[in-house]
Amino acid sequence: MKKLITTALLTGLISVSAINAKTIATVNGYAITEKEANQLLKVLTKGKVNYSQLSPKDKKQIVRRLAVDKLVIKTAYKSLSKKERDFIIANAWMAKKIRNIRVSDAEAKKAYNKNKALFKRNGKIVPFSKVKNLIKIQLKQKKVIDRLMKHAKIKMK
């Protein structure tokens, strides 16, 4: 029930922001707003062009691209289970967090040396240079998890 209420509130907030934005097109009943077009154009043109400056032909291309994005998102959301959606969201969140974390080569080398036995392939230890990036990703994930768990309040029942 709590999840249903949360979903309804989020949907309502998204709908309100979509209502406040000028709708430039719809795809299968879903609004495509000028704000969304301008956000896409900001990325594509590095902020040099906005939707109102486009020719009708270019506007149609931008709307088509946004329509594809919107349909993929809506279709994926409907076809994925809650467990699958949660998994994707967790992975996207983790990827976002680890982008801001730095791990030095020295830290990675230390972890490699401490766990060399784990880096075997066909009975031989894989050279550090081949696993350095994997180790860095794992160390970044560990740092995110450690920060997250530092403030966790786990109560056993």
Side-chain angles (χ1 to χ4, degrees):
M1 185 65 171
K2 187 176 180 182
K3 291 177 186 176
L4 181 63
I5 292 169
T6 303
T7 303
L9 286 172
L10 287 174
T11 304
L13 289 173
I14 292 167
S15 298
V16 168
S17 64
I19 290 169
N20 292 336
K22 180 181 173 190
T23 299
I24 55 174
T26 60
V27 57
N28 292 355
Y30 301 115
I32 298 172
T33 66
E34 187 169 352
K35 182 178 179 183
E36 292 169 319
N38 284 328
Q39 287 171 337
L40 175 59
L41 286 164
K42 185 176 182 181
V43 172
L44 295 176
T45 68
K46 298 181 180 158
K48 294 178 183 173
V49 177
N50 65 41
Y51 184 76
S52 64
Q53 297 171 309
L54 296 177
S55 69
K57 180 182 175 189
D58 290 339
K59 285 180 178 181
K60 190 172 184 176
Q61 285 180 318
I62 291 298
V63 166
R64 183 169 170 76
R65 180 156 176 190
L66 289 167
V68 169
D69 292 348
K70 198 154 289 236
L71 289 173
V72 167
I73 291 167
K74 300 292 184 183
T75 303
Y77 189 84
K78 288 178 183 177
S79 67
L80 295 172
S81 69
K82 167 114 175 63
K83 186 175 180 178
E84 290 168 323
R85 290 191 305 264
D86 288 348
F87 178 78
I88 291 166
I89 291 168
N91 281 305
W93 179 83
M94 180 64 79
K96 182 178 179 180
K97 288 296 184 184
I98 67 173
R99 272 184 263 158
N100 300 321
I101 295 177
R102 301 289 169 239
V103 172
S104 68
D105 287 352
E107 286 177 276
K109 183 75 169 179
K110 183 179 175 183
Y112 172 80
N113 288 333
K114 187 177 177 182
N115 299 292
K116 264 187 181 174
L118 297 174
F119 301 105
K120 285 186 178 180
R121 187 177 301 144
N122 298 328
K124 294 183 181 180
I125 294 178
V126 178
F128 174 69
S129 61
K130 300 280 186 192
V131 293
K132 178 174 79 171
N133 290 336
L134 173 65
I135 293 169
K136 283 185 167 188
I137 290 170
Q138 290 173 339
L139 290 173
K140 288 178 179 188
Q141 289 173 336
K142 184 181 181 324
K143 286 181 179 188
V144 170
I145 291 166
D146 289 348
R147 288 177 188 167
L148 189 63
M149 292 305 291
K150 183 178 180 180
H151 302 290
K153 293 180 179 112
I154 299 173
K155 295 180 183 179
M156 299 295 292
K157 294 190 179 199

